[in-house]
Amino acid sequence: MSHDYVNILGVPFINTSFAEMESILTNHIDKQEKTIVVTANPEIVMYAKENKDYQKIIQSAHYVVPDGNGILLAANMLQKPIKERVTGFDLTMSLLEEGNKKGWHVYLLGGREQVNKRAAENIEKDYPGINLVGRHNGYFDWEDGQVAEEVAAKAPDIVLVALGFPRQEEWITTNYHRFSKGLFMGVGGTIDIISGEMKRAPEFWQNLKLEWFYRLLKQPSRWRRVLVLPQFVKQVRQSRKRD
């Protein structure tokens, strides 16, 4: 099945609705096909533009979904509108709901130990049909490959990797050859929300497309990260002129 893609500064975003994306990934899981999903926002796109190795990692993923209204804005600027925002958080929760019905096996990787533990406990409580086959915090030695070997041995249907970018995508790509099946998705701060450590922006802020501003109010230390947005818009505008 062919899909429509929108290239934004070298990153190919799949152009589907949220429901279509959920259906595509569910189909891969049901067929036990290895799949890599990247949830990319403007910050990730800009980082990839400056770091070619990371850009190659993203370009090699099976799907890059538009996690952020800035991506939709960029697509509109390029006159190639993307149907809908597909956030990593919403996609994670949707897959957990589906997994709850189908008894999927899930592995949770990343975050501080207490955050990881609470997130695992909440998944087990809220989705009793899911088999949480393992978990590990985000602080481990990459060189010995022990965590990757454990994941491979558990053979989960879904591996939620919350190491933050670019580490989560690098870990998935580096160890991909070890796994026989599974959907691998970098989920960043999603684990903090599942654990209760952080709260997602209320729907009011989401509808105003100001979720980023809500997070900034809650975490003022993010201000440097917000500065990438005007640079992103400028780069997209320049790329449109070149095209």
Side-chain angles (χ1 to χ4, degrees):
M1 181 179 181
S2 62
H3 304 294
D4 181 30
Y5 293 87
V6 177
N7 189 300
I8 299 177
L9 301 181
V11 176
F13 286 89
I14 186 169
N15 190 2
T16 68
S17 68
F18 184 89
E20 289 169 336
M21 195 70 241
E22 180 189 27
S23 177
I24 290 167
L25 298 183
T26 296
N27 187 50
H28 282 301
I29 294 170
D30 286 340
K31 290 182 177 179
Q32 298 192 351
E33 296 172 338
K34 283 200 296 184
T35 312
I36 298 177
V37 180
V38 175
T39 61
N41 58 19
E43 190 178 4
I44 287 177
V45 172
M46 290 296 285
Y47 184 86
K49 191 172 185 296
E50 301 300 322
N51 297 268
K52 295 305 179 184
D53 287 343
Y54 184 64
Q55 186 179 65
K56 289 177 183 176
I57 287 174
I58 291 184
Q59 291 172 342
S60 68
H62 296 90
Y63 304 104
V64 183
V65 299
D67 187 338
N69 286 304
I71 300 300
L72 271 61
L73 171 64
N76 288 335
M77 289 173 61
L78 296 171
Q79 299 183 339
K80 298 175 182 177
I82 288 177
K83 292 180 182 179
E84 192 174 358
R85 188 169 71 134
V86 181
T87 72
F89 176 79
D90 290 330
L91 201 52
T92 298
M93 304 315 288
S94 180
L95 289 172
L96 288 176
E97 288 177 12
E98 189 68 17
N100 191 47
K101 301 172 190 172
K102 296 187 174 182
W104 286 342
H105 292 193
V106 174
Y107 192 101
L108 184 62
L109 175 62
R112 303 193 311 274
E113 173 59 24
Q114 286 304 312
V115 169
N116 184 285
K117 182 180 179 182
R118 284 199 303 268
E121 290 170 347
N122 288 341
I123 289 173
E124 290 179 321
K125 174 171 62 74
D126 296 336
Y127 306 96
I130 280 179
N131 188 345
L132 192 67
V133 295
R135 68 171 191 86
H136 200 286
N137 62 54
Y139 301 88
F140 57 91
D141 182 5
W142 283 33
E143 298 301 319
D144 64 13
Q146 185 177 342
V147 172
E149 289 173 8
E150 180 185 335
V151 174
K154 301 283 187 182
D157 299 295
I158 300 176
V159 182
L160 301 174
V161 186
L163 301 174
F165 89 90
R167 295 179 73 241
Q168 56 197 20
E169 289 79 26
E170 291 171 349
W171 184 89
I172 292 169
T173 303
T174 299
N175 295 288
Y176 187 67
H177 67 282
R178 301 175 186 263
F179 312 124
S180 59
K181 66 168 191 173
L183 172 72
F184 296 82
M185 183 164 69
V187 297
T190 291
I191 189 175
D192 292 315
I193 300 175
I194 294 176
S195 72
E197 181 83 359
M198 286 180 56
K199 290 186 178 180
R200 194 176 184 196
E203 199 168 324
F204 170 79
W205 291 86
Q206 295 181 47
N207 291 338
L208 289 176
K209 297 180 171 56
L210 289 173
E211 196 169 359
W212 64 270
F213 187 60
Y214 176 86
R215 290 200 300 269
L216 179 61
L217 291 176
K218 294 295 181 181
Q219 292 180 287
S221 60
R222 294 174 62 95
W223 71 270
R224 289 183 185 277
R225 298 174 63 176
V226 174
L227 294 179
V228 78
L229 293 173
Q231 284 298 318
F232 171 72
V233 171
K234 179 181 178 182
Q235 292 281 346
V236 171
R237 188 178 290 118
Q238 290 175 346
S239 73
R240 182 182 61 183
K241 290 178 180 178
R242 287 194 296 270
D243 293 341

